[in-house]
């Protein structure tokens, strides 16, 4: 039982981390924050990790039920999410950094208004759709779709899924809290190159997700 628990727990990060690509998104994360202090960077990285954990757990545990309740299919999720990701990538490609960065006033103060601004920016667009995008959500829903029926097996499955999501967001947190260090190692030119490449790849991922959703819808039409 313990071996099965650990296998199920490590299946989630092994499956989701290549889709999340937190190391590749780290320069984008640093660009969206702008020149904030190390303390603010850690705070936002932690908040993003918390947001991502709830998104992943929600998709794994109740994602399929929510889609069934509203009559939404996975291809529709891919099409809608692909559009969102493609738009985010397009904006990052043409962004000069002035619109994306959090203002210095918010970054340097710690009143309630600043905290709310940081939380808002940490969720959209950083947590969703840049980090946990529609591809990740679709994969998470697939991972959680086959829940065992037995009580003991169900408890083990829920625990392993929660642990797997925790391990996944832990990697995200480590990468994001070191985003400025990664940018420093790359240098100004390297950061610009990685940032633009990441934005272009993000745009391509959005188009790919959109296309896979369209193919799924066409397949459903053929079936009916």
């Amino acid at each position: 039982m313990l071996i099965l628990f650990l296998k199920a727990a490590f299946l989630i990060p092994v499956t989701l981390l290549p889709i999340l690509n937190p190391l590749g998104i780290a320069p984008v994360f640093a660009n969206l924050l702008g020149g904030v202090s190390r303390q603010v960077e850690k705070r936002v990285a932690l908040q993003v990790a918390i947001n991502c954990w709830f998104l992943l757990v929600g998709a794994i545990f109740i994602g399929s039920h929510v889609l069934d309740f509203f009559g939404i299919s996975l291809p529709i999720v891919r099409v809608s999410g692909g559009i969102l990701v493609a738009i985010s990538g397009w904006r990052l490609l043409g962004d000069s950094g002035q619109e994306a960065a959090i203002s210095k006033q918010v970054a340097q103060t710690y009143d309630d208004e600043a905290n709310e601004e940081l939380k808002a920016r940490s969720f959209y667009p950083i947590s969703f759709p840049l980090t946990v995008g529609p591809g990740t959500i679709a994969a998470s829903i697939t991972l959680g779709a086959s829940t065992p029926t037995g009580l003991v097996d169900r408890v083990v499955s829920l625990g392993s899924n929660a642990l797997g999501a925790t391990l996944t967001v832990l990697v995200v947190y480590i990468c994001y809290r070191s985003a400025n260090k990664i940018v420093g190692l790359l240098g100004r030119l390297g950061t610009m190159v990685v940032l633009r490449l990441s934005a272009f790849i993000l745009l391509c991922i959005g188009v790919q997700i959109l296309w896979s959703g369209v193919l799924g819808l066409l397949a459903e039409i053929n079936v009916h």
Side-chain angles (χ1 to χ4, degrees), residues 8-99:
F10 281 101
L11 176 64
I12 292 178
V14 168
T15 303
L16 297 184
L17 282 176
I19 306 174
L20 289 168
N21 189 22
L23 191 60
I25 301 297
V28 181
F29 172 80
N31 181 68
L32 287 172
L33 290 187
V36 298
S37 65
R38 177 71 173 152
Q39 183 178 1
V40 173
E41 183 185 40
K42 289 181 178 179
R43 287 176 58 204
V44 178
L46 178 60
Q47 187 63 50
V48 169
I50 294 173
N51 295 339
C52 292
W53 189 85
F54 280 107
L55 287 171
L56 293 179
V57 169
I60 292 171
F61 289 165
I62 63 173
S64 59
H65 302 292
V66 171
L67 294 184
D68 290 339
F69 179 79
F70 288 102
I72 302 173
S73 63
L74 277 178
I76 293 295
V77 174
R78 293 191 179 100
V79 169
S80 304
I83 294 173
L84 271 178
V85 173
I87 291 174
S88 300
W90 179 259
R91 286 179 177 175
L92 286 172
L93 272 175
D95 181 35
S96 61
Q98 296 178 354
E99 295 182 358

Side-chain angles (χ1 to χ4, degrees), residues 41-174:
E41 183 185 40
K42 289 181 178 179
R43 287 176 58 204
V44 178
L46 178 60
Q47 187 63 50
V48 169
I50 294 173
N51 295 339
C52 292
W53 189 85
F54 280 107
L55 287 171
L56 293 179
V57 169
I60 292 171
F61 289 165
I62 63 173
S64 59
H65 302 292
V66 171
L67 294 184
D68 290 339
F69 179 79
F70 288 102
I72 302 173
S73 63
L74 277 178
I76 293 295
V77 174
R78 293 191 179 100
V79 169
S80 304
I83 294 173
L84 271 178
V85 173
I87 291 174
S88 300
W90 179 259
R91 286 179 177 175
L92 286 172
L93 272 175
D95 181 35
S96 61
Q98 296 178 354
E99 295 182 358
I102 295 177
S103 65
K104 292 182 179 180
Q105 181 181 0
V106 172
Q108 294 174 357
T109 57
Y110 299 95
D111 54 16
D112 293 337
E113 183 179 354
N115 289 332
E116 290 302 318
E117 177 67 14
L118 287 173
K119 288 180 180 179
R121 295 299 296 270
S122 70
F123 182 79
Y124 182 85
I126 301 176
S127 299
F128 179 85
L130 292 181
T131 305
V132 178
T136 306
I137 292 176
S140 301
I141 292 174
T142 304
L143 287 171
S146 56
T147 304
T149 55
L151 178 60
V152 176
D153 293 337
R154 182 182 292 270
V155 171
V156 172
S157 176
L158 293 177
S160 63
N161 288 336
L163 178 59
T166 302
L167 294 175
T168 303
V169 300
L170 179 61
V171 176
V172 173
Y173 171 69
I174 292 172

